Amino acid sequence: MKTSDELVYQLFSTRNIYGNKSASEKIQLLRSININALGNKRVTQSLYSTLQFLIAYPDNKTIYKLSNQLFQNLQKYIKTNDKLRSGLYNSGITHTSICAAFSFGPVKWMRRTRPDEIWFDSFKADDAQIQSILSVVMAKTESEIFQDANEEWEGWLQHLRRKQEDLLDQLIAIFDSTDIRPEVRDELWNNLGIYVEIIFTSHCCLPKSLIRLYFHSSLIRKDEKRQMPTIKYTPARITENESEQIIACCRMIMMGFIREIDPISFTSAELVSYYHLPRGISIALMGMVPERRHPIDSYMGYMVFKNGLPVAYAGSWILFDSGRIGLNVFSDYRGGESKYIFEQVLELHRRVYRLKRFTVDPYQIGKNNSDGIQSGAFWIYYHSGFRPIKKAQRELAAAEYLKIQTISRYRSPIAVLKKLADSRQELVLQRSAVRFDATDVSRAYAAIITRKYTGNRKIAEKETEKKLADILRIKNYQEENMKFILKNWAPLLLSNEKELGHNEGLKKILKHLFTLKADGSEEDYIYGLQQAEKLRRFMEHLIKHYVID
């Protein structure tokens, strides 16, 4: 008779094989595994991962039900087994703990919504660094107490601490009250290296009201030749509570994997939209609150759910009708339908945001990203129609693809995958799409600073900011969000001040777009850019003239 450990590994090996025989085998294994007889943490992690996969990709109702039951029993077993729970430290598994440093936003959110599940652990910074940073963040009047050794930061905060308040609460309150720009505040917080301990008391899953179950008779494999699908997606009407549940699920799964992306960290209930797609897939799209938005492109985020479980995520940076995008599949769900999921993500983005071109940055493919190399991320994008922009990588990819097609079990060597990752990829859906994105705008910006202002950023940004506000007749130019937008757009637009000054249509468009970006709908900003032909021509000319190769 096989041990429970052997049964777990057998279940893992058959998890993504379908058919009557495989379904019967899965059912027998699910009924035979004795959780109390699991040998070690590695087997426990394997079972945890496998059961999540089976819930996301079940053959039938029986397997779905048995997987859920065994999964719930496994969580109870972990909760009551101190030794095992200790061994699973930093795994992100339910009823275990992690210790990591997160940015200010997620820590503040979790301390507010789940105060008993997060607490301060330690600093990475030394006392001198801590005191220096607190002196910058706190009001000058108060931080004077740190001068000339009148008080040390730790003793002072302890002296001010209220009943039932701890150091983490005080740090959050100090950083929350500062008038420093959010991105600067985040960097100061990160430089403190505030490590927090988090315990995961519940499993990340959407409520039943948001789930449409799907049972698999097979998987769509990544090497199947298929046209980009014309999907049927259904926008869901979600309540504020459901939106908050989506956000909470997204943030907690990210924390479990010790990851963050800004659109998930800095969204809010009214900025989330939710869509049902085929095969049990649903996707939440989310934008950022106005004070966290990028000034020129639109950084949007998404989370993919499969039968209610979060299986993949990434962000998209949208400018006019082109979007930089990526895909990160959580490790528990690899071996499923990653390529098909990405196709759904692309098509939903195309339809919702009206995009005609997608690009993928080198990091997503594996440049300086070992996970991208190990997972063979390049080929997910390649099979979805993306091609390297650089000629050398394009030719290498074609040669590698031919080997894969003709040599049995051939896999691209890691050295080759690293070479392939040294180029952006693009997927052009319509030839009329813009062929530049925010990275090109960044190059143009740098060139303008160098050529027009001889490298003097203070003149380029400060003096042009007010001038642009006057040209566009923007009265609220001193409001923080608008000031940030003007500062970033001004050197670009005033690089051709004569054309801007004489183009009333362009000035009207820009004023409207800036208002949307500062305090309106990010989606309306995206659509407004797409309709702004005069601005597009202006930017295309600017990129062509200034971009540094």
Side-chain angles (χ1 to χ4, degrees):
M1 180 180 291
K2 291 185 176 180
T3 66
S4 282
D5 291 8
E6 291 172 325
L7 295 176
V8 168
Y9 291 130
Q10 187 177 342
L11 183 63
F12 173 80
S13 66
T14 193
R15 76 195 189 289
N16 58 357
I17 301 172
Y18 293 84
N20 292 334
K21 183 179 178 182
S22 296
S24 297
E25 184 180 355
K26 291 175 190 176
I27 291 170
Q28 183 61 40
L29 289 167
L30 288 166
R31 287 173 171 163
S32 301
I33 293 172
N34 179 4
I35 287 174
N36 295 311
L38 296 178
N40 54 52
K41 68 175 185 178
R42 184 173 296 178
V43 179
T44 303
Q45 283 181 295
S46 179
L47 179 58
Y48 191 95
S49 172
T50 303
L51 291 174
Q52 289 201 113
F53 187 95
L54 290 174
I55 294 168
Y57 292 94
D59 307 55
N60 51 49
K61 289 183 180 180
T62 302
I63 289 176
Y64 180 77
K65 182 179 179 180
L66 289 173
S67 298
N68 266 299
Q69 289 174 345
L70 190 59
F71 190 61
Q72 289 171 16
N73 291 336
L74 179 61
Q75 292 177 74
K76 291 176 183 176
Y77 176 69
I78 293 170
K79 184 178 181 180
T80 58
N81 190 317
D82 292 342
K83 183 179 179 182
L84 177 61
R85 197 167 62 251
S86 177
L88 292 171
Y89 190 72
N90 267 355
S91 68
I93 286 176
T94 307
H95 299 304
T96 69
S97 300
I98 64 167
C99 183
F102 294 97
S103 63
F104 175 71
V107 172
K108 177 188 171 184
W109 169 81
M110 191 164 185
R111 189 64 173 172
R112 176 177 57 84
T113 60
R114 303 169 186 228
D116 296 331
E117 298 174 22
I118 181 172
W119 55 91
F120 175 80
D121 180 82
S122 59
F123 286 107
K124 184 178 180 180
D126 59 30
D127 282 341
Q129 289 175 297
I130 295 168
Q131 189 150 307
S132 176
I133 291 172
L134 289 178
S135 296
V136 172
V137 177
M138 295 169 72
K140 182 64 175 174
T141 305
E142 182 179 10
S143 64
E144 278 294 319
I145 196 71
F146 299 147
Q147 304 303 315
D148 299 322
N150 284 292
E151 287 283 353
E152 299 298 327
W153 72 269
E154 191 170 10
W156 181 247
L157 292 187
Q158 189 170 359
H159 170 71
L160 296 176
R161 194 167 301 154
R162 296 173 297 176
K163 190 177 181 180
Q164 296 183 335
E165 184 181 51
D166 65 11
L167 178 58
L168 184 59
D169 294 318
Q170 287 183 291
L171 291 170
I172 290 171
I174 290 168
F175 276 79
D176 202 30
S177 64
T178 185
D179 58 0
I180 298 171
R181 269 209 61 83
E183 63 274 12
V184 179
R185 178 192 62 199
D186 286 353
E187 283 304 310
L188 292 170
W189 175 276
N190 293 340
N191 285 335
L192 283 177
I194 299 173
Y195 280 80
V196 293
E197 189 153 343
I198 295 172
I199 184 167
F200 298 93
T201 59
S202 59
H203 181 55
C204 290
C205 182
L206 294 181
K208 290 182 179 179
S209 61
L210 296 175
I211 301 172
R212 292 182 180 178
L213 288 177
Y214 182 83
F215 304 109
H216 285 261
S217 58
S218 64
L219 293 180
I220 297 174
R221 300 293 182 179
K222 68 179 181 179
D223 54 352
E224 289 182 17
K225 292 183 178 180
R226 303 168 61 253
Q227 295 293 322
M228 279 285 287
T230 301
I231 64 170
K232 293 183 179 179
Y233 68 91
T234 307
R237 291 185 177 181
I238 54 176
T239 65
E240 182 178 350
N241 182 55
E242 286 173 328
S243 183
E244 293 286 4
Q245 287 178 291
I246 290 171
I247 293 171
C249 187
C250 292
R251 288 176 178 167
M252 292 309 295
I253 191 67
M254 295 293 283
M255 283 182 155
F257 280 89
I258 314 181
R259 301 182 188 181
E260 292 183 55
I261 62 169
D262 284 356
I264 290 177
S265 295
F266 305 116
T267 191
S268 59
E270 69 276 11
L271 302 178
V272 176
S273 56
Y274 185 73
Y275 302 85
H276 291 289
L277 293 96
R279 301 175 74 82
I281 296 171
S282 56
I283 299 177
L285 301 178
M286 56 202 78
M288 290 194 283
V289 293
E291 62 268 22
R292 302 306 306 227
R293 292 174 182 170
H294 288 195
I296 294 177
D297 64 351
S298 299
Y299 186 14
M300 315 298 282
Y302 71 84
M303 182 70 72
V304 181
F305 299 89
K306 187 79 167 61
N307 284 351
L309 296 180
V311 299
Y313 75 95
S316 57
W317 294 260
I318 298 169
L319 184 62
F320 291 97
D321 54 15
S322 181
R324 295 157 57 206
I325 199 165
L327 175 74
N328 300 286
V329 178
F330 293 120
S331 56
D332 292 344
Y333 305 100
R334 291 172 187 169
E337 295 183 333
S338 298
K339 174 178 176 285
Y340 178 77
I341 285 173
F342 190 46
E343 289 173 347
Q344 302 298 300
V345 168
L346 291 174
E347 183 64 4
L348 183 66
H349 277 72
R350 183 185 74 82
R351 299 272 289 277
V352 171
Y353 299 128
R354 306 170 189 173
L355 302 182
K356 299 177 183 178
R357 173 180 177 259
F358 292 98
T359 61
V360 176
D361 291 332
Y363 178 83
Q364 290 289 335
I365 307 163
K367 187 171 183 179
N368 302 324
N369 175 7
S370 59
D371 189 54
I373 294 295
Q374 295 297 330
S375 65
F378 176 88
W379 294 112
I380 291 177
Y381 297 110
Y382 196 87
H383 285 301
S384 297
F386 285 80
R387 294 295 181 266
I389 293 176
K390 291 181 180 179
K391 183 180 178 181
Q393 276 72 18
R394 195 163 57 246
E395 292 174 349
L396 177 60
E400 281 296 298
Y401 184 66
L402 181 61
K403 291 179 182 178
I404 292 171
Q405 295 295 103
T406 56
I407 302 174
S408 178
R409 297 184 178 181
Y410 177 81
R411 293 175 64 90
S412 299
I414 287 178
V416 172
L417 290 173
K418 287 182 177 179
K419 289 180 181 178
L420 290 171
D422 197 28
S423 169
R424 284 192 291 168
Q425 291 196 51
E426 70 173 352
L427 171 63
V428 180
L429 302 176
Q430 294 185 35
R431 295 179 66 183
S432 61
V434 297
R435 301 303 287 270
F436 65 89
D437 56 35
T439 60
D440 300 301
V441 176
S442 178
R443 293 185 179 95
Y445 189 98
I448 290 167
I449 299 296
T450 301
R451 298 182 198 176
K452 192 173 177 66
Y453 299 96
T454 61
N456 192 324
R457 281 178 166 73
K458 185 175 181 180
I459 294 175
E461 295 170 359
K462 280 286 182 184
E463 295 187 7
T464 59
E465 178 185 314
K466 179 62 168 63
K467 181 184 284 189
L468 180 60
D470 291 341
I471 291 172
L472 300 183
R473 301 185 184 92
I474 293 176
K475 296 180 180 179
N476 63 331
Y477 67 90
Q478 290 187 330
E479 291 180 7
E480 195 63 33
N481 291 346
M482 183 61 76
K483 192 173 183 180
F484 181 62
I485 293 163
L486 289 166
K487 176 183 176 181
N488 282 274
W489 273 96
L492 296 168
L493 295 172
L494 295 181
S495 66
N496 194 343
E497 185 177 345
K498 184 177 181 181
E499 180 180 345
L500 177 64
H502 290 87
N503 195 326
E504 291 300 321
L506 179 57
K507 287 190 284 186
K508 184 177 179 180
I509 289 167
L510 285 166
K511 183 177 181 180
H512 175 63
L513 290 172
F514 289 3
T515 302
L516 288 173
K517 176 65 82 169
D519 198 31
S521 161
E522 189 81 300
E523 287 83 0
D524 287 344
Y525 174 82
I526 292 169
Y527 306 146
L529 269 183
Q530 292 166 353
Q531 295 168 5
E533 284 297 324
K534 291 179 180 178
L535 179 57
R536 172 176 169 167
R537 289 196 296 271
F538 184 98
M539 293 298 290
E540 285 175 335
H541 175 76
L542 183 147
I543 296 293
K544 184 177 180 180
H545 183 72
Y546 280 107
V547 164
I548 304 170
D549 295 324

